[in-house]
Amino acid sequence: MRNIFLPILFIFFFSYSTYAKKSPVDYVNPYMGNISHLLKPTYPTVHLPNGMLRIYPQRGDHTESYIHGLPIIVVNHRENCCFNLSAFQGYESQLSPVIRTDYDNEQIMPYYYKSDIDNQQIKAEFTPTYRAAIYRLTYTQNKLGYLILNSGNGEMEIEGNSIKGYQNTWGNTRVYIYLETDIIPSKSGILKDKKLNTAQTKTSGDNSCAVFCFDGQTQINARYGISFISIEQAKKNLQNEIPDFNFDKTKNNGRKIWNEALGKIEVKGGTENDKTVFYTSLYRCYERPVNISEDGYYYCASDRKVHKDDGHAYYTDDWLWDTYRATHPLRILIDADVENDILVSFIRAAELSEKQWFPTFPAITGDSRRMNCNHGVATIADAWEKGLRNFDLKKAYEYTRKGIEEKTLAPWSSGDAGWLDRFYKENGYIPALAPGEKETVPEVNGFEKRQPIPVTLGTAYDQWCLSRIAAALNKKDESEYYLKCSYNYRNVFNPQTSFFHPKDKNGNFIEPFDYRFSGGIGARDYYAENNGWTYRWDVQHNIGDLVNLMGGAEKFSENLDQTFSEWLGRNKYEFYAQLPDQTGNVGQFSMANEPSLHIPYLYNYAGKPWKTQKRIRDLVHQWFRNDVMGVPGDEDGGGLSSFVVFSMMGFYPVTPGSPSYNIGSPFFNEIKIKLSNGKTFRIIGKYCSEENKYIQSAKLNGKAWEKPWFSHDDIKNGGKLEFIMGDKRNTEWGSDMNNVPPSALPYPKN
């Protein structure tokens, strides 16, 4: 018997030892969500946390059989790539600006990319630093090897074993590159009209290509630096970050950096798939914004000049409409210094712009003013309420106020305030057009429309955030004014239906009306990307008042239940043809779009937190999975992923701007969060499992805890939140309506 079991025990302990050594980055699956349900997928991005230099394979979608050269840099998230490197082995007559090849044996990790290309003749490997990267190219055939660097639209110049140049991109922004190989090419030249001119060393214009040829070499290392300042700075970035051609050293350092970043949250217990979903989601939260400071300087698209960063790294490329909800609050917990520098960056971007409006969708190429409302104000209010102080609150208030008061509230517009804005100030809501009524307001986007309900509700929330900031600055009158404005959502609440219902300019509800389908494509005539069922709950700052408007906790809870069970109303083909953003459906609830993310937590405000616990567990397991379709909608650089990270830890910031967190259901037996101040906040889920999702009892810092929420002050200096979990709902825990999460102050009397 002993001889039989000893090998078995050896195998068991060897397997356990191997499993125990798994690092956080080993759980990351960059392919998760690379096939979208309808709209944009995720991309298998290779980069360092918040690094300026990001890449992913250049192909149409995850299933495409070919790649289009090798990537150099992604400038704006999922939209804009610059430069292209083609590795080729064959005949000179086959050269072209971008060589389309097959790929095989692809492997992608956050810090490493590998693929066999060109019918497996070349093995390409890539690893980045923050502003530089290195390719290791192994040629396997007895043919000439080529490297083709394409600037797309710019200028290229060859000097010995180096290529330098730039590419023009959006907003008159230039991306500069300096590339060099570890071996001097046997010949080089400029490729034009598919002909190689070895007598020429410089070119400009579309598809400007520099070519290196290597004779008899089996492996070439090509390292390069990127800059938004100059070619000289690109070269400095390269020399600072990759001083030699040691590929493995660079790769190993990248792995270490990722483990340090992801290791700020340590989880124990749970399934292997849960850990993969968790750490992949956390990795996605580091994709944006990106730090574009270079040796203490940065290029700012607001004024198209280079500035000193004065010790605060300059960040950009952040879609605030998506990320203010949970990505920024997550960073406050684990990377407060970075979050502070991000806010300083946005304040600078506003200060350097012509009209000094706080950005909404800041990008390397400039603020693109997308979506609706001005939710960047929430990042300021939330940071200040949670103790961040190393930024200028007065300037932040002024620029966020200007963005709301002076810029039009019309979605997707950078125009000045006009008639719609005057109407909102006078009447407290954005008026809707009746069906068939012609648009006459010039600042309204022809496709995006007025979106009157989300703009009214979202602006009310933004103004609540302004009131919080004004109060912190002792601007009492302004704080009271904006607090009163924050109740403007009441002006479009229909008490007969308990929905937010668009009104015309005369104050009449639009009739007849269907809360599922009225409003055209994306319901934009009245809502935005989502229908009335989603925006029924879009009062993040004052859920308590919404409970009252709906007739009390019981009716509020019933309306939530109905949201998760209401039929689509049409077959899927017809529903998604009109509402392609509203995927990930559970009834009318959409797991795929950011305005829905707080909805599952709202049972906490009705004294039924066990329903939140069940719903959160179900939603994450239904829609976020370790596979190529494992993300239900547009991930948007942390927008959806931060919801997953928070929810799997067991809590969520329903109201950015309020220093409070709603409790859900932890997915792991233990979560250790290394807070920005060096303290540790531990969450214990005793008996936690897939079945044991219900909280039976809780303790916070050693004391019995009966509230379905806790404050930032409760955890900011570390501590321990302990749950006893079970498989049966406990309808008593957290049910006292005196213990519901906080909402805005009572409605002003005057």
Side-chain angles (χ1 to χ4, degrees), residues 202-239:
K202 190 173 183 178
T203 182
S204 61
D206 292 341
N207 285 322
S208 301
C209 296
V211 179
F212 282 170
C213 176
F214 301 94
D215 187 2
Q217 301 297 328
T218 58
Q219 191 172 89
I220 305 296
N221 289 294
R223 60 177 185 167
Y224 64 92
I226 290 292
S227 174
F228 294 101
I229 295 174
S230 66
I231 292 173
E232 292 73 23
Q233 187 61 52
K235 185 175 181 179
K236 285 182 181 179
N237 292 342
L238 174 61
Q239 293 171 338

mmCIF file of all heavy atoms in Angstrom, residues 202-239:
data_model
loop_
_atom_site.group_PDB
_atom_site.id
_atom_site.type_symbol
_atom_site.label_atom_id
_atom_site.label_comp_id
_atom_site.label_asym_id
_atom_site.label_seq_id
_atom_site.Cartn_x
_atom_site.Cartn_y
_atom_site.Cartn_z
ATOM 1 N N LYS A 202 15.930 59.306 -46.403
ATOM 2 C CA LYS A 202 14.889 60.100 -45.749
ATOM 3 C C LYS A 202 13.661 60.166 -46.627
ATOM 4 O O LYS A 202 13.775 60.246 -47.857
ATOM 5 C CB LYS A 202 15.407 61.517 -45.456
ATOM 6 C CG LYS A 202 14.509 62.354 -44.560
ATOM 7 C CD LYS A 202 15.205 63.664 -44.191
ATOM 8 C CE LYS A 202 14.357 64.488 -43.227
ATOM 9 N NZ LYS A 202 15.037 65.756 -42.825
ATOM 10 N N THR A 203 12.478 60.138 -46.005
ATOM 11 C CA THR A 203 11.231 60.202 -46.766
ATOM 12 C C THR A 203 10.154 60.831 -45.903
ATOM 13 O O THR A 203 10.249 60.862 -44.674
ATOM 14 C CB THR A 203 10.781 58.798 -47.208
ATOM 15 O OG1 THR A 203 9.591 58.901 -47.997
ATOM 16 C CG2 THR A 203 10.483 57.903 -46.011
ATOM 17 N N SER A 204 9.113 61.344 -46.542
ATOM 18 C CA SER A 204 7.978 61.919 -45.823
ATOM 19 C C SER A 204 6.708 61.696 -46.639
ATOM 20 O O SER A 204 6.765 61.372 -47.821
ATOM 21 C CB SER A 204 8.184 63.416 -45.568
ATOM 22 O OG SER A 204 8.300 64.118 -46.792
ATOM 23 N N GLY A 205 5.556 61.870 -45.982
ATOM 24 C CA GLY A 205 4.276 61.673 -46.647
ATOM 25 C C GLY A 205 3.610 60.380 -46.230
ATOM 26 O O GLY A 205 4.049 59.690 -45.301
ATOM 27 N N ASP A 206 2.532 60.013 -46.907
ATOM 28 C CA ASP A 206 1.794 58.800 -46.585
ATOM 29 C C ASP A 206 2.649 57.559 -46.805
ATOM 30 O O ASP A 206 3.387 57.467 -47.794
ATOM 31 C CB ASP A 206 0.528 58.701 -47.437
ATOM 32 C CG ASP A 206 -0.497 59.764 -47.070
ATOM 33 O OD1 ASP A 206 -0.387 60.311 -45.957
ATOM 34 O OD2 ASP A 206 -1.389 60.044 -47.885
ATOM 35 N N ASN A 207 2.500 56.604 -45.884
ATOM 36 C CA ASN A 207 3.237 55.338 -45.955
ATOM 37 C C ASN A 207 4.737 55.554 -46.130
ATOM 38 O O ASN A 207 5.387 54.923 -46.970
ATOM 39 C CB ASN A 207 2.691 54.450 -47.079
ATOM 40 C CG ASN A 207 1.361 53.825 -46.704
ATOM 41 O OD1 ASN A 207 1.156 53.436 -45.550
ATOM 42 N ND2 ASN A 207 0.458 53.733 -47.655
ATOM 43 N N SER A 208 5.274 56.470 -45.365
ATOM 44 C CA SER A 208 6.722 56.698 -45.388
ATOM 45 C C SER A 208 7.399 55.522 -44.696
ATOM 46 O O SER A 208 7.211 55.298 -43.499
ATOM 47 C CB SER A 208 7.062 58.003 -44.664
ATOM 48 O OG SER A 208 6.416 59.091 -45.279
ATOM 49 N N CYS A 209 8.197 54.782 -45.445
ATOM 50 C CA CYS A 209 8.766 53.532 -44.930
ATOM 51 C C CYS A 209 10.281 53.520 -45.000
ATOM 52 O O CYS A 209 10.870 53.804 -46.054
ATOM 53 C CB CYS A 209 8.243 52.335 -45.723
ATOM 54 S SG CYS A 209 6.481 52.067 -45.567
ATOM 55 N N ALA A 210 10.904 53.161 -43.886
ATOM 56 C CA ALA A 210 12.338 52.901 -43.851
ATOM 57 C C ALA A 210 12.546 51.401 -43.732
ATOM 58 O O ALA A 210 11.807 50.716 -43.011
ATOM 59 C CB ALA A 210 12.971 53.624 -42.674
ATOM 60 N N VAL A 211 13.574 50.882 -44.433
ATOM 61 C CA VAL A 211 13.771 49.433 -44.515
ATOM 62 C C VAL A 211 15.206 49.082 -44.125
ATOM 63 O O VAL A 211 16.164 49.722 -44.566
ATOM 64 C CB VAL A 211 13.479 48.914 -45.940
ATOM 65 C CG1 VAL A 211 13.725 47.409 -46.014
ATOM 66 C CG2 VAL A 211 12.053 49.250 -46.356
ATOM 67 N N PHE A 212 15.330 48.054 -43.282
ATOM 68 C CA PHE A 212 16.614 47.432 -42.981
ATOM 69 C C PHE A 212 16.615 46.029 -43.574
ATOM 70 O O PHE A 212 15.609 45.320 -43.507
ATOM 71 C CB PHE A 212 16.835 47.317 -41.469
ATOM 72 C CG PHE A 212 17.264 48.594 -40.793
ATOM 73 C CD1 PHE A 212 17.282 48.664 -39.404
ATOM 74 C CD2 PHE A 212 17.666 49.698 -41.515
ATOM 75 C CE1 PHE A 212 17.689 49.818 -38.750
ATOM 76 C CE2 PHE A 212 18.071 50.862 -40.883
ATOM 77 C CZ PHE A 212 18.082 50.927 -39.500
ATOM 78 N N CYS A 213 17.775 45.643 -44.122
ATOM 79 C CA CYS A 213 17.945 44.286 -44.634
ATOM 80 C C CYS A 213 19.101 43.614 -43.890
ATOM 81 O O CYS A 213 20.156 44.223 -43.681
ATOM 82 C CB CYS A 213 18.229 44.311 -46.129
ATOM 83 S SG CYS A 213 18.567 42.684 -46.841
ATOM 84 N N PHE A 214 18.895 42.358 -43.475
ATOM 85 C CA PHE A 214 19.906 41.602 -42.733
ATOM 86 C C PHE A 214 20.198 40.305 -43.471
ATOM 87 O O PHE A 214 19.292 39.540 -43.787
ATOM 88 C CB PHE A 214 19.416 41.306 -41.312
ATOM 89 C CG PHE A 214 19.095 42.544 -40.519
ATOM 90 C CD1 PHE A 214 17.804 43.040 -40.470
ATOM 91 C CD2 PHE A 214 20.092 43.225 -39.844
ATOM 92 C CE1 PHE A 214 17.508 44.174 -39.746
ATOM 93 C CE2 PHE A 214 19.806 44.375 -39.112
ATOM 94 C CZ PHE A 214 18.507 44.849 -39.071
ATOM 95 N N ASP A 215 21.472 40.084 -43.722
ATOM 96 C CA ASP A 215 21.896 38.912 -44.494
ATOM 97 C C ASP A 215 22.593 37.927 -43.564
ATOM 98 O O ASP A 215 23.627 38.233 -42.968
ATOM 99 C CB ASP A 215 22.850 39.359 -45.610
ATOM 100 C CG ASP A 215 23.196 38.220 -46.558
ATOM 101 O OD1 ASP A 215 22.662 37.105 -46.373
ATOM 102 O OD2 ASP A 215 23.996 38.447 -47.483
ATOM 103 N N GLY A 216 21.992 36.766 -43.414
ATOM 104 C CA GLY A 216 22.628 35.703 -42.649
ATOM 105 C C GLY A 216 22.419 35.778 -41.160
ATOM 106 O O GLY A 216 23.040 35.018 -40.409
ATOM 107 N N GLN A 217 21.587 36.676 -40.679
ATOM 108 C CA GLN A 217 21.341 36.790 -39.238
ATOM 109 C C GLN A 217 20.111 35.965 -38.857
ATOM 110 O O GLN A 217 19.105 35.965 -39.562
ATOM 111 C CB GLN A 217 21.112 38.252 -38.845
ATOM 112 C CG GLN A 217 22.272 39.164 -39.188
ATOM 113 C CD GLN A 217 23.540 38.789 -38.440
ATOM 114 O OE1 GLN A 217 23.476 38.303 -37.318
ATOM 115 N NE2 GLN A 217 24.687 39.000 -39.069
ATOM 116 N N THR A 218 20.208 35.269 -37.748
ATOM 117 C CA THR A 218 19.066 34.463 -37.295
ATOM 118 C C THR A 218 18.236 35.184 -36.242
ATOM 119 O O THR A 218 17.067 34.837 -36.047
ATOM 120 C CB THR A 218 19.552 33.125 -36.707
ATOM 121 O OG1 THR A 218 20.443 33.384 -35.620
ATOM 122 C CG2 THR A 218 20.265 32.302 -37.771
ATOM 123 N N GLN A 219 18.815 36.155 -35.566
ATOM 124 C CA GLN A 219 18.054 36.871 -34.540
ATOM 125 C C GLN A 219 18.440 38.344 -34.523
ATOM 126 O O GLN A 219 19.618 38.695 -34.509
ATOM 127 C CB GLN A 219 18.286 36.256 -33.162
ATOM 128 C CG GLN A 219 17.318 36.774 -32.093
ATOM 129 C CD GLN A 219 17.455 36.008 -30.800
ATOM 130 O OE1 GLN A 219 18.255 36.377 -29.942
ATOM 131 N NE2 GLN A 219 16.698 34.926 -30.661
ATOM 132 N N ILE A 220 17.423 39.199 -34.542
ATOM 133 C CA ILE A 220 17.608 40.641 -34.517
ATOM 134 C C ILE A 220 16.834 41.204 -33.330
ATOM 135 O O ILE A 220 15.673 40.856 -33.113
ATOM 136 C CB ILE A 220 17.087 41.304 -35.810
ATOM 137 C CG1 ILE A 220 17.726 40.683 -37.045
ATOM 138 C CG2 ILE A 220 17.299 42.818 -35.765
ATOM 139 C CD1 ILE A 220 19.206 40.888 -37.137
ATOM 140 N N ASN A 221 17.461 42.065 -32.561
ATOM 141 C CA ASN A 221 16.773 42.791 -31.504
ATOM 142 C C ASN A 221 16.588 44.236 -31.952
ATOM 143 O O ASN A 221 17.562 44.898 -32.328
ATOM 144 C CB ASN A 221 17.569 42.756 -30.204
ATOM 145 C CG ASN A 221 17.557 41.385 -29.562
ATOM 146 O OD1 ASN A 221 16.520 40.906 -29.118
ATOM 147 N ND2 ASN A 221 18.716 40.731 -29.520
ATOM 148 N N ALA A 222 15.350 44.683 -31.928
ATOM 149 C CA ALA A 222 15.034 46.061 -32.308
ATOM 150 C C ALA A 222 14.367 46.745 -31.121
ATOM 151 O O ALA A 222 13.275 46.357 -30.699
ATOM 152 C CB ALA A 222 14.113 46.084 -33.519
ATOM 153 N N ARG A 223 15.036 47.717 -30.566
ATOM 154 C CA ARG A 223 14.469 48.454 -29.433
ATOM 155 C C ARG A 223 14.106 49.860 -29.903
ATOM 156 O O ARG A 223 14.726 50.409 -30.814
ATOM 157 C CB ARG A 223 15.451 48.516 -28.264
ATOM 158 C CG ARG A 223 16.767 49.192 -28.600
ATOM 159 C CD ARG A 223 17.685 49.306 -27.402
ATOM 160 N NE ARG A 223 18.891 50.058 -27.742
ATOM 161 C CZ ARG A 223 19.758 50.542 -26.869
ATOM 162 N NH1 ARG A 223 19.555 50.358 -25.577
ATOM 163 N NH2 ARG A 223 20.821 51.215 -27.267
ATOM 164 N N TYR A 224 13.090 50.442 -29.271
ATOM 165 C CA TYR A 224 12.677 51.777 -29.700
ATOM 166 C C TYR A 224 12.081 52.557 -28.531
ATOM 167 O O TYR A 224 11.583 51.993 -27.555
ATOM 168 C CB TYR A 224 11.674 51.707 -30.859
ATOM 169 C CG TYR A 224 10.347 51.059 -30.531
ATOM 170 C CD1 TYR A 224 9.262 51.814 -30.100
ATOM 171 C CD2 TYR A 224 10.156 49.679 -30.678
ATOM 172 C CE1 TYR A 224 8.038 51.227 -29.815
ATOM 173 C CE2 TYR A 224 8.946 49.084 -30.403
ATOM 174 C CZ TYR A 224 7.881 49.866 -29.972
ATOM 175 O OH TYR A 224 6.660 49.279 -29.693
ATOM 176 N N GLY A 225 12.166 53.878 -28.645
ATOM 177 C CA GLY A 225 11.538 54.777 -27.697
ATOM 178 C C GLY A 225 10.491 55.616 -28.395
ATOM 179 O O GLY A 225 10.581 55.887 -29.597
ATOM 180 N N ILE A 226 9.470 55.998 -27.639
ATOM 181 C CA ILE A 226 8.373 56.806 -28.159
ATOM 182 C C ILE A 226 8.314 58.110 -27.372
ATOM 183 O O ILE A 226 8.613 58.164 -26.183
ATOM 184 C CB ILE A 226 7.034 56.037 -28.015
ATOM 185 C CG1 ILE A 226 6.997 54.845 -28.977
ATOM 186 C CG2 ILE A 226 5.841 56.942 -28.257
ATOM 187 C CD1 ILE A 226 6.939 55.227 -30.441
ATOM 188 N N SER A 227 7.892 59.182 -28.042
ATOM 189 C CA SER A 227 7.733 60.465 -27.363
ATOM 190 C C SER A 227 6.628 61.267 -28.034
ATOM 191 O O SER A 227 6.356 61.097 -29.230
ATOM 192 C CB SER A 227 9.044 61.265 -27.411
ATOM 193 O OG SER A 227 8.864 62.563 -26.879
ATOM 194 N N PHE A 228 6.001 62.137 -27.248
ATOM 195 C CA PHE A 228 5.076 63.126 -27.809
ATOM 196 C C PHE A 228 5.715 64.508 -27.812
ATOM 197 O O PHE A 228 5.046 65.496 -28.100
ATOM 198 C CB PHE A 228 3.769 63.137 -27.008
ATOM 199 C CG PHE A 228 3.000 61.860 -27.126
ATOM 200 C CD1 PHE A 228 3.032 60.912 -26.116
ATOM 201 C CD2 PHE A 228 2.269 61.587 -28.271
ATOM 202 C CE1 PHE A 228 2.338 59.725 -26.236
ATOM 203 C CE2 PHE A 228 1.575 60.399 -28.399
ATOM 204 C CZ PHE A 228 1.600 59.460 -27.388
ATOM 205 N N ILE A 229 7.030 64.553 -27.498
ATOM 206 C CA ILE A 229 7.746 65.824 -27.408
ATOM 207 C C ILE A 229 8.694 66.026 -28.586
ATOM 208 O O ILE A 229 8.654 67.059 -29.261
ATOM 209 C CB ILE A 229 8.517 65.903 -26.072
ATOM 210 C CG1 ILE A 229 7.519 65.912 -24.897
ATOM 211 C CG2 ILE A 229 9.414 67.138 -26.024
ATOM 212 C CD1 ILE A 229 8.166 65.849 -23.531
ATOM 213 N N SER A 230 9.558 65.035 -28.846
ATOM 214 C CA SER A 230 10.552 65.191 -29.913
ATOM 215 C C SER A 230 11.239 63.858 -30.178
ATOM 216 O O SER A 230 11.142 62.918 -29.370
ATOM 217 C CB SER A 230 11.619 66.223 -29.519
ATOM 218 O OG SER A 230 12.383 65.738 -28.418
ATOM 219 N N ILE A 231 11.965 63.802 -31.281
ATOM 220 C CA ILE A 231 12.769 62.617 -31.592
ATOM 221 C C ILE A 231 13.864 62.462 -30.544
ATOM 222 O O ILE A 231 14.153 61.343 -30.086
ATOM 223 C CB ILE A 231 13.381 62.736 -33.000
ATOM 224 C CG1 ILE A 231 12.288 62.655 -34.068
ATOM 225 C CG2 ILE A 231 14.422 61.653 -33.227
ATOM 226 C CD1 ILE A 231 12.763 62.920 -35.475
ATOM 227 N N GLU A 232 14.483 63.578 -30.162
ATOM 228 C CA GLU A 232 15.548 63.517 -29.165
ATOM 229 C C GLU A 232 15.027 62.934 -27.855
ATOM 230 O O GLU A 232 15.710 62.147 -27.187
ATOM 231 C CB GLU A 232 16.122 64.916 -28.921
ATOM 232 C CG GLU A 232 16.886 65.506 -30.101
ATOM 233 C CD GLU A 232 15.983 65.946 -31.241
ATOM 234 O OE1 GLU A 232 14.787 66.206 -30.988
ATOM 235 O OE2 GLU A 232 16.475 66.023 -32.385
ATOM 236 N N GLN A 233 13.798 63.308 -27.478
ATOM 237 C CA GLN A 233 13.227 62.785 -26.246
ATOM 238 C C GLN A 233 12.890 61.302 -26.384
ATOM 239 O O GLN A 233 13.047 60.531 -25.436
ATOM 240 C CB GLN A 233 11.972 63.568 -25.858
ATOM 241 C CG GLN A 233 11.411 63.194 -24.500
ATOM 242 C CD GLN A 233 12.375 63.440 -23.362
ATOM 243 O OE1 GLN A 233 12.914 64.540 -23.219
ATOM 244 N NE2 GLN A 233 12.612 62.423 -22.536
ATOM 245 N N ALA A 234 12.455 60.892 -27.567
ATOM 246 C CA ALA A 234 12.198 59.471 -27.799
ATOM 247 C C ALA A 234 13.476 58.658 -27.596
ATOM 248 O O ALA A 234 13.453 57.567 -27.006
ATOM 249 C CB ALA A 234 11.650 59.258 -29.206
ATOM 250 N N LYS A 235 14.595 59.202 -28.086
ATOM 251 C CA LYS A 235 15.879 58.521 -27.906
ATOM 252 C C LYS A 235 16.260 58.474 -26.423
ATOM 253 O O LYS A 235 16.740 57.442 -25.925
ATOM 254 C CB LYS A 235 16.966 59.243 -28.708
ATOM 255 C CG LYS A 235 18.323 58.549 -28.679
ATOM 256 C CD LYS A 235 19.319 59.261 -29.594
ATOM 257 C CE LYS A 235 20.673 58.541 -29.588
ATOM 258 N NZ LYS A 235 21.641 59.228 -30.498
ATOM 259 N N LYS A 236 16.024 59.577 -25.697
ATOM 260 C CA LYS A 236 16.312 59.591 -24.263
ATOM 261 C C LYS A 236 15.454 58.572 -23.522
ATOM 262 O O LYS A 236 15.925 57.867 -22.622
ATOM 263 C CB LYS A 236 16.053 60.983 -23.683
ATOM 264 C CG LYS A 236 17.112 62.022 -24.019
ATOM 265 C CD LYS A 236 16.770 63.343 -23.345
ATOM 266 C CE LYS A 236 17.793 64.417 -23.680
ATOM 267 N NZ LYS A 236 17.440 65.719 -23.044
ATOM 268 N N ASN A 237 14.173 58.497 -23.890
ATOM 269 C CA ASN A 237 13.280 57.539 -23.244
ATOM 270 C C ASN A 237 13.784 56.117 -23.435
ATOM 271 O O ASN A 237 13.748 55.292 -22.509
ATOM 272 C CB ASN A 237 11.860 57.671 -23.795
ATOM 273 C CG ASN A 237 11.207 58.986 -23.411
ATOM 274 O OD1 ASN A 237 11.639 59.659 -22.478
ATOM 275 N ND2 ASN A 237 10.155 59.354 -24.131
ATOM 276 N N LEU A 238 14.265 55.833 -24.628
ATOM 277 C CA LEU A 238 14.813 54.507 -24.911
ATOM 278 C C LEU A 238 16.051 54.243 -24.059
ATOM 279 O O LEU A 238 16.165 53.193 -23.409
ATOM 280 C CB LEU A 238 15.155 54.392 -26.393
ATOM 281 C CG LEU A 238 15.874 53.105 -26.819
ATOM 282 C CD1 LEU A 238 15.019 51.879 -26.541
ATOM 283 C CD2 LEU A 238 16.268 53.164 -28.296
ATOM 284 N N GLN A 239 16.973 55.182 -24.055
ATOM 285 C CA GLN A 239 18.220 54.987 -23.317
ATOM 286 C C GLN A 239 17.986 54.913 -21.809
ATOM 287 O O GLN A 239 18.683 54.181 -21.108
ATOM 288 C CB GLN A 239 19.191 56.120 -23.658
ATOM 289 C CG GLN A 239 19.670 56.088 -25.105
ATOM 290 C CD GLN A 239 20.456 57.326 -25.501
ATOM 291 O OE1 GLN A 239 20.330 58.390 -24.879
ATOM 292 N NE2 GLN A 239 21.261 57.213 -26.554
#
